[in-house]
Amino acid sequence: MKRILIYVMSLVLCLGFMTSSIYATSVPVNETSDEFVGFDETGNLIQYDTNELEDEVFDSSSSMISMAALDDEKTVTYGVVNFRVKSSASEITTYTNCENGQQGYINGYSMSDGAFLGYENGKVKFKAAGVIGLIEPSEVGIIDYDSAKTVSCYKTSNGGLYHYVANIITNSDSYYSINYVGNIPSYLSNNTTYYSYDGHYFYASYNRMIDDYKNGVYSNSVNSNNPYYNYFQYLPARSKTSLTASQLDQYTIQMVSSGKLLNAGSSLISNQNTYGVNALIMYSNAALESGWGQSQIAINKNNLFGHGAVDSNPYYGANGYASVDDCIKYHAKVFISEGYCDPKDYSGRYYGSHLGDKESGINVKYASDPYWGEKIAHICWSVQNGLGVTEAKQYTLGIANGNVAFYTNPDSNLLFNSGNFSSYPIILLSKSNGYYKVQSDPTLNENRTSITQDKGEYNFDQYYAYINANSVYALNSVQNGNTSGKWIKDGQGYWYWYEGSNYVTGWQQINSVWYYFNTAGVMQTSQWIGNYYVLADGTMAKSKWIGNDYVDASGLWQSNRWMNDGQWWYRYGDGSYPVAKFDTINGKKYYFDNSGYMVTGWKLIDKDWYYFNGSGCMIKDQWIGNYYMGKDGKMLKNQWVGKYYVDASGVWQPDRWINDGQWWYRYGDGSYPKEKFDVIGDNVYYFDKNGYMVTGWNCIDKKWYYFNDSGVMAKDKWIGDYYVDKYGVMTKTK
């Protein structure tokens, strides 16, 4: 499959509502997508070529079956649902949510597989992206798990947890995307593969996972009593980033040198503070949708979020804005604050204000890519880790399953009901007398007695509510930040840091030193936490080698990677880079000049010429114009290359006529015929002792021959009074 580093619009699309912005569409459209994005093994944003995705053909010998082929519903016990059966990437697949009866939609070109749970009322029952649904058998295929060569899974590596999203399940190691979803939870082992179709409960065995899903339990999962939630994926939009505008702009410059996302930090922060939509989430959303601000829709229409772009007419259907700031304002105010954060939204888009997936969150109605929210969260993690800051766990989150009642005061004056959702996150501010004080998703009136659309503006201090503590369970302790901290060591020798009566979790800066505490509050030691390493005393390592890996002054592991500051160069993990030398990177050879920049084109190195293509790769064993590059990449000289000769300057010299006052013929090796006949083309010529072509009558070896004005020897004809035979020899006269 062709995959390209994305500097074009991802077109993970949103509902195209009316807008007052210039060039804006006035026609509501349904969300679909004809462009597909993900992340590769190194975390790079990639774009898949839609046409090539559509051209991929399933292996005809696979064990793919449909309901029509089943004589018995039990034919497949442990199966995989294949959603990628439609001929066009623009076609979506609809399903019915088993929990609330609502219709949902996905695109099989962004999520190929789900767990097969049998049949119910003549429809295929599945679980994928958190949702349990029913779908028409004609819309999908079913394959036995043992026949599947690739299924979506989670893998742990170097302290990180990664979601590998399957592409073509009948092909080996075929993945759309590799999404970073957080640090490895304590209950998962490093360098291990797990299975999950909700991202909360992980299984070492696919079959055991299916058994649990069919029985509606999680008892066979490795974390049956401790579900995992990707922090950024489940952080409600009604939150604030601790990052500054300059930090957001700094990270953009690290990623790209041009585009409409540059210098957008101040607008993102300003609109966050006005409309109550987390700036980091908006920033990461824009990065995904616009390819870091470099898509044509972003460049020409100032549209960072794909507003109004649909698969049938993505560019011309996309909204246009007078400025990037107008776009960000519209997104924060209209799309999110007045739309996806409002339980009374007229379009029914409210499933919680978090990114989520198809189970809950903005992703339910925003994108047909069921992992759209997860991909945005991936960028949030990348920003955090890339800037060397701790953004995760800034808020205490609670998770509800089912309908939650929100009150003005504890058990007094119902403000709104959430709706019947699973995995519904809520920001918990404090706890007292059996109630949590929580951040409200919708905007409220001044007295907090009802929901109001107050121009989409949000007051973080004023817009709060209360819920029964039994409605949720807290993912981390509700902390009182006004008390002094204290180290506590338990009987097993584990260290905790307490704020008041509660232990802390995640990254914590204590006395200017960073530590990491797991979900149970235990300080971690001698291990990788994501891209950071904590030493034996629990402190985060900085500016030192950890085995073969280097962590910089901010503690961040620096992998070898390509960098571009207008020109390409390659940074080693320790911060150094190759200068005036060759280097082999991923099996390809490059050369870096005296300033450390990758060279392209012709380059004279130690008296030998080399050629490097537009990607900087050294060319070998092939022709470059009239020059041949040898197996070591050096331009060949004074030698034959097959039937061709290259001279002292390396130029291939073809056989050809030369005129320096007289005509002569040069061979490719630089020699020429003299005192001899030569057949050139279909004609015979003779060259004298100086190598010049003769004309007219010439006596050669005591025989007469005639050569016309072009030097061609006459044969089998009269030349005046003389006849030359078929060999060109004069044989008689008239």
Side-chain angles (χ1 to χ4, degrees):
M1 178 185 302
K2 182 180 179 181
R3 295 184 292 179
I4 312 167
L5 285 176
I6 182 171
Y7 288 118
V8 295
M9 173 71 173
S10 72
L11 298 180
V12 180
L13 308 173
C14 7
L15 293 170
F17 297 101
M18 296 179 65
T19 168
S20 59
S21 303
I22 64 170
Y23 314 117
T25 180
S26 60
V27 182
V29 293
N30 292 322
E31 178 270 327
T32 49
S33 175
D34 72 339
E35 302 282 347
F36 300 87
V37 298
F39 300 94
D40 63 15
E41 294 84 351
T42 59
N44 290 316
L45 195 62
I46 57 175
Q47 179 183 6
Y48 293 84
D49 185 293
T50 303
N51 293 327
E52 293 195 17
L53 282 174
E54 294 176 350
D55 289 341
E56 292 174 336
V57 180
F58 291 106
D59 183 356
S60 61
S61 64
S62 74
S63 58
M64 198 73 65
I65 58 174
S66 67
M67 187 178 180
L70 292 173
D71 296 325
D72 187 341
E73 292 185 358
K74 298 181 180 180
T75 300
V76 176
T77 302
Y78 301 106
V80 184
V81 177
N82 179 38
F83 290 92
R84 189 174 167 184
V85 297
K86 298 183 182 288
S87 60
S88 173
S90 66
E91 298 181 66
I92 61 173
T93 301
T94 59
Y95 63 85
T96 301
N97 189 316
C98 290
E99 293 189 2
N100 55 32
Q102 298 198 15
Q103 189 177 73
Y105 54 92
I106 59 173
N107 193 309
Y109 283 80
S110 53
M111 184 190 75
S112 292
D113 65 320
F116 174 59
L117 306 185
Y119 295 92
E120 187 173 302
N121 298 324
K123 295 185 178 182
V124 174
K125 189 175 185 180
F126 72 92
K127 182 168 185 175
V131 71
I132 297 176
L134 297 176
I135 198 165
E136 293 291 341
S138 59
E139 293 286 291
V140 295
I142 310 297
I143 187 172
D144 190 273
Y145 171 70
D146 291 335
S147 299
K149 297 182 179 180
T150 298
V151 297
S152 295
C153 61
Y154 289 79
K155 298 184 180 184
T156 56
S157 176
N158 294 322
L161 178 62
Y162 299 85
H163 187 193
Y164 284 64
V165 182
N167 180 8
I168 300 177
I169 62 178
T170 54
N171 290 353
S172 298
D173 295 322
S174 179
Y175 299 104
Y176 280 127
S177 187
I178 302 174
N179 306 326
Y180 179 81
V181 297
N183 300 325
I184 300 178
S186 59
Y187 42 76
L188 300 183
S189 301
N190 200 20
N191 299 318
T192 306
T193 297
Y194 298 94
Y195 301 97
S196 176
Y197 282 105
D198 57 22
H200 308 317
Y201 297 93
F202 301 98
Y203 293 82
S205 164
Y206 187 92
N207 291 355
R208 287 194 173 187
M209 176 185 69
I210 296 296
D211 288 337
D212 270 11
Y213 286 174
K214 288 181 176 180
N215 293 319
V217 299
Y218 302 101
S219 55
N220 286 308
S221 67
V222 299
N223 60 322
S224 58
N225 297 315
N226 192 11
Y228 178 78
Y229 291 90
N230 181 338
Y231 178 79
F232 291 111
Q233 191 178 352
Y234 286 87
L235 175 66
R238 298 308 197 186
S239 55
K240 289 184 177 182
T241 180
S242 64
L243 300 175
T244 65
S246 61
Q247 285 177 305
L248 293 175
D249 291 339
Q250 175 189 343
Y251 192 78
T252 306
I253 293 173
Q254 292 180 17
M255 302 303 296
V256 292
S257 58
S258 63
K260 288 300 180 80
L261 194 56
L262 292 173
N263 303 314
S266 62
S267 179
L268 289 163
I269 296 296
S270 174
N271 281 284
Q272 166 191 266
N273 297 337
T274 301
Y275 300 107
V277 182
N278 188 289
L280 175 59
I281 294 175
M282 288 196 291
Y283 173 86
S284 301
N285 188 352
L288 182 76
E289 296 282 359
S290 70
W292 295 101
Q294 296 193 330
S295 72
Q296 289 301 303
I297 293 177
I299 297 297
N300 298 334
K301 296 190 175 186
N302 293 315
N303 187 340
L304 295 178
F305 302 96
H307 298 156
V310 294
D311 60 339
S312 60
N313 195 11
Y315 180 84
Y316 293 101
N319 296 357
Y321 300 92
S323 65
V324 167
D325 183 67
D326 276 1
C327 177
I328 294 172
K329 178 180 178 180
Y330 180 79
H331 184 77
K333 177 181 184 297
V334 180
F335 251 69
I336 305 302
S337 186
E338 296 178 358
Y340 289 92
C341 287
D342 185 3
K344 296 184 177 181
D345 173 61
Y346 74 96
S347 295
R349 292 173 291 178
Y350 183 75
Y351 288 80
S353 70
H354 58 293
L355 294 168
D357 50 20
K358 288 302 180 182
E359 180 183 37
S360 65
I362 297 173
N363 199 164
V364 174
K365 292 290 188 178
Y366 195 107
S368 60
D369 180 353
Y371 300 115
W372 171 88
E374 184 181 85
K375 291 173 181 176
I376 295 174
H378 169 105
I379 297 176
C380 291
W381 284 109
S382 299
V383 175
Q384 170 189 272
N385 297 337
L387 293 175
V389 299
T390 303
E391 183 72 6
K393 308 299 184 184
Q394 293 289 330
Y395 287 87
T396 297
L397 304 183
I399 299 294
N401 291 287
N403 199 358
V404 178
F406 291 76
Y407 298 94
T408 296
N409 298 298
D411 203 25
S412 176
N413 185 50
L414 179 66
L415 281 170
F416 63 93
N417 286 300
S418 66
N420 186 25
F421 308 140
S422 297
S423 299
Y424 172 73
I426 306 167
I427 293 176
L428 309 180
L429 301 175
S430 63
K431 182 181 180 182
S432 64
N433 300 321
Y435 281 83
Y436 282 114
K437 179 183 178 180
V438 303
Q439 201 75 58
S440 171
D441 276 347
T443 56
L444 308 175
N445 64 9
E446 291 184 358
N447 299 320
R448 297 188 305 101
T449 57
S450 65
I451 296 176
T452 181
Q453 282 297 343
D454 188 17
K455 301 179 181 179
E457 296 179 357
Y458 191 88
N459 189 318
F460 282 95
D461 295 326
Q462 183 178 340
Y463 295 159
Y464 59 90
Y466 291 90
I467 63 172
N468 193 301
N470 294 325
S471 301
V472 299
Y473 67 94
L475 296 183
N476 49 333
S477 300
V478 180
Q479 302 174 22
N480 183 350
N482 295 322
T483 60
S484 60
K486 186 177 181 181
W487 284 104
I488 301 293
K489 188 178 183 181
D490 68 12
Q492 297 180 311
Y494 295 128
W495 284 100
Y496 303 77
W497 177 265
Y498 273 79
E499 297 283 354
S501 60
N502 300 300
Y503 59 75
V504 301
T505 62
W507 284 106
Q508 299 291 329
Q509 190 175 33
I510 303 171
N511 297 326
S512 301
V513 179
W514 285 101
Y515 300 83
Y516 185 82
F517 303 85
N518 67 12
T519 55
V522 177
M523 182 189 76
Q524 302 298 286
T525 62
S526 303
Q527 62 178 287
W528 287 98
I529 308 295
N531 289 331
Y532 300 85
Y533 190 84
V534 289
L535 301 169
D537 63 355
T539 60
M540 184 176 72
K542 297 182 179 181
S543 300
K544 65 187 308 178
W545 287 92
I546 310 297
N548 295 323
D549 300 303
Y550 187 82
V551 291
D552 64 14
S554 66
L556 181 65
W557 168 65
Q558 297 290 348
S559 62
N560 295 349
R561 60 174 177 168
W562 286 101
M563 307 290 292
N564 188 301
D565 58 5
Q567 299 181 70
W568 287 102
W569 57 285
Y570 194 75
R571 190 187 73 182
Y572 299 134
D574 62 355
S576 64
Y577 51 92
V579 176
K581 62 180 292 188
F582 288 97
D583 202 353
T584 299
I585 302 169
N586 296 327
K588 298 179 180 179
K589 199 167 187 176
Y590 303 80
Y591 188 81
F592 300 87
D593 65 19
N594 293 333
S595 299
Y597 290 114
M598 177 193 80
V599 303
T600 60
W602 287 101
K603 181 69 175 178
L604 183 65
I605 305 170
D606 294 331
K607 300 181 180 180
D608 287 298
W609 284 99
Y610 299 79
Y611 187 82
F612 303 87
N613 67 17
S615 299
C617 298
M618 185 187 76
I619 301 301
K620 58 182 180 180
D621 289 323
Q622 70 180 74
W623 288 97
I624 302 296
N626 288 333
Y627 302 85
Y628 192 85
M629 318 312 293
K631 62 181 179 180
D632 59 359
K634 296 178 182 179
M635 183 187 72
L636 300 186
K637 301 177 183 178
N638 292 323
Q639 58 182 290
W640 287 93
V641 181
K643 62 179 181 180
Y644 303 101
Y645 188 83
V646 290
D647 65 14
S649 63
V651 179
W652 166 59
Q653 297 290 347
D655 295 352
R656 60 173 178 166
W657 287 100
I658 305 289
N659 188 301
D660 59 3
Q662 300 180 71
W663 286 101
W664 58 284
Y665 194 77
R666 190 186 72 183
Y667 299 134
D669 62 355
S671 64
Y672 53 92
K674 56 183 179 180
E675 291 189 296
K676 63 179 293 188
F677 290 95
D678 204 350
V679 179
I680 301 173
D682 295 325
N683 299 311
V684 179
Y685 302 82
Y686 187 81
F687 300 87
D688 64 21
K689 63 180 181 180
N690 296 314
Y692 290 114
M693 177 192 80
V694 302
T695 60
W697 286 104
N698 283 268
C699 186
I700 304 169
D701 294 330
K702 300 180 180 181
K703 298 177 181 178
W704 285 93
Y705 300 80
Y706 184 82
F707 303 87
N708 67 18
D709 292 342
S710 299
V712 177
M713 184 183 75
K715 294 186 291 182
D716 201 21
K717 64 188 299 185
W718 287 95
I719 306 297
D721 294 331
Y722 303 93
Y723 184 83
V724 292
D725 64 16
K726 63 181 180 180
Y727 303 109
V729 179
M730 184 187 72
T731 57
K732 57 185 177 179
T733 61
K734 289 183 178 178

